[in-house]
Amino acid sequence: MYYEIHGDPAHSEAILLSSGLGGSHHYWQAQVPELAKRFKVIIYDHYGTGKSMGTLPEGYNMAQMAAEIETVMAQTETERAHILGHALGGLMGLQLAIQSPEKVASLLLINAWAKTDDHTKRCFEIRQSILKQSGLAMYLKAQPLFLYPSEWMKTNRALLDRELDHLLSSDFSEDNLLTRIAAIEAFDVSQSLPSVTCPVGLVATKDDLLVPYSCSLELDKTLTHSSLYLLEHGGHGCNVTEPEAFNQLLETFYDALR
C-alpha cells in the first residue's frame, strides 16, 4: 500500500485520511498542512488505485477496505488513529470502527452514510453507464458534475483540466472502479451503528448532488456520540471547494476532543 506521512512523526496522536471513490492521497492537499501542525498525518492510495495498484478480488467489500486501513496503520507503526474520511473513505472509517474499535480514536465523516441511498445508487448507475458506453475519458470528464457546484467549476476550469490530464495519464483500471462502486452500492451498516462508541463528526453539504444531506442527519440521530456540521454550499467535495470553512470545522471538532 502506498502511503505518505506528513508532520512530525513524533506527535502523540495520528490521523489517517481516506478519500472517496477516486482513492487518491492527493485529494487532501488543502487539509494536510493544517492537520500536520497537531498530528502525525497519514495519507494513502486505496488498494486498486494510484500507486497502490492491484487487481481487486471478486466479492470485494467494505470490510476488506477497512482491513486495508489497518494494513496502512501497521506499515506506519500506528496503533490508534483519528480517521478522516470523505464519502467512501467515511464508509471505510465506519466499518473500521465496527470491526476494530480499539484502532479508532474518532471519526470525521464528510458526506457519508450508513446505507447507500437510492438517489446515490441512481447517480452511480448513470456514471457506470457513461463509463461502459462512452469510455474512461468521458467518465472522468463527467465526474466533476457529481462532485462540485457549477459556479465553482466555472471559476476553476484550469484546475479541473489539469486534474483530468493527470487522471488520463495515470494507470487506471476500469474493472477496479466498477468493483469499488459495487462495494459502495452493497454497503449497509445501519444495524451496527449502536456499536460505534468513539466520537463522530458529521460534515454534510446541503447542495451535494451525489449524497442527500439527510443521510448525515440520519447518522446523527442513530450514533451515540456525534456532532453534526451542516454547510450550505460546497457540493460533494466541500473540503476542496470550501477549504477555509472546512478547515475551521476540523479545528472545532478536534479542539472539542481535548
Side-chain angles (χ1 to χ4, degrees):
M1 299 285 291
Y2 177 81
Y3 67 85
E4 295 178 4
I5 295 177
H6 295 263
D8 186 349
H11 276 309
S12 59
E13 294 183 283
I15 185 168
L16 183 143
L17 282 54
S18 187
S19 62
L21 181 60
S24 173
H25 68 282
H26 290 293
Y27 180 74
W28 302 105
Q29 56 186 312
Q31 282 70 56
V32 168
E34 293 302 313
L35 290 169
K37 297 174 183 177
R38 63 197 301 171
F39 295 112
K40 177 178 87 170
V41 180
I42 305 165
I43 53 177
Y44 76 108
D45 286 347
H46 295 184
Y47 184 63
T49 74
K51 296 182 180 180
S52 297
M53 281 304 297
T55 301
L56 298 178
E58 185 177 351
Y60 188 64
N61 58 41
M62 206 64 63
Q64 290 167 285
M65 294 188 194
E68 289 158 11
I69 292 180
E70 296 186 73
T71 296
V72 174
M73 291 177 68
Q75 289 176 320
T76 58
E77 300 181 340
T78 304
E79 294 184 3
R80 192 165 181 258
H82 300 275
I83 306 296
L84 169 56
H86 171 251
L88 170 57
L91 311 190
M92 294 162 68
L94 271 174
Q95 183 69 48
L96 182 64
I98 292 167
Q99 67 191 45
S100 298
E102 73 283 357
K103 297 189 176 181
V104 181
S106 73
L107 294 171
L108 186 54
L109 313 177
I110 310 167
N111 292 322
W113 60 93
K115 179 181 179 180
T116 305
D117 187 83
D118 286 343
H119 170 79
T120 303
K121 289 181 179 179
R122 183 180 184 183
C123 291
F124 278 123
E125 181 182 358
I126 294 168
R127 296 172 75 181
Q128 289 176 86
S129 179
I130 293 172
L131 178 62
K132 294 174 182 178
Q133 297 182 26
S134 301
L136 179 61
M138 187 57 66
Y139 170 89
L140 294 174
K141 192 170 185 177
Q143 181 169 259
L145 299 175
F146 296 92
L147 304 182
Y148 308 125
S150 58
E151 192 63 29
W152 186 88
M153 288 191 291
K154 177 182 177 180
T155 57
N156 288 274
R157 176 64 182 271
L159 184 153
L160 292 175
D161 287 345
R162 289 195 300 272
E163 179 65 14
L164 178 62
D165 290 342
H166 170 73
L167 290 170
L168 289 172
S169 65
S170 302
D171 188 7
F172 204 98
S173 169
E174 294 184 25
D175 288 340
N176 281 355
L177 178 58
L178 293 171
T179 298
R180 284 161 62 77
I181 291 175
I184 292 173
E185 292 177 328
F187 180 74
D188 182 358
V189 294
S190 54
Q191 300 305 308
S192 302
L193 290 181
S195 68
V196 178
T197 58
C198 67
V200 182
L202 302 166
V203 180
T205 320
K206 289 187 176 181
D207 63 352
D208 185 350
L209 174 65
L210 184 60
V211 180
Y213 74 89
S214 57
C215 293
S216 291
L217 300 184
E218 290 300 317
L219 277 171
D220 188 46
K221 289 179 183 178
T222 309
L223 291 164
T224 305
H225 303 291
S226 62
S227 302
L228 179 65
Y229 306 94
L230 280 178
L231 295 175
E232 293 291 331
H233 307 290
H236 187 61
C238 58
N239 59 301
V240 174
T241 60
E242 300 287 344
E244 292 183 5
F246 181 81
N247 288 351
Q248 183 60 54
L249 291 181
L250 290 181
E251 186 174 350
T252 300
F253 178 70
Y254 293 117
D255 279 350
L257 298 182
R258 290 180 174 176

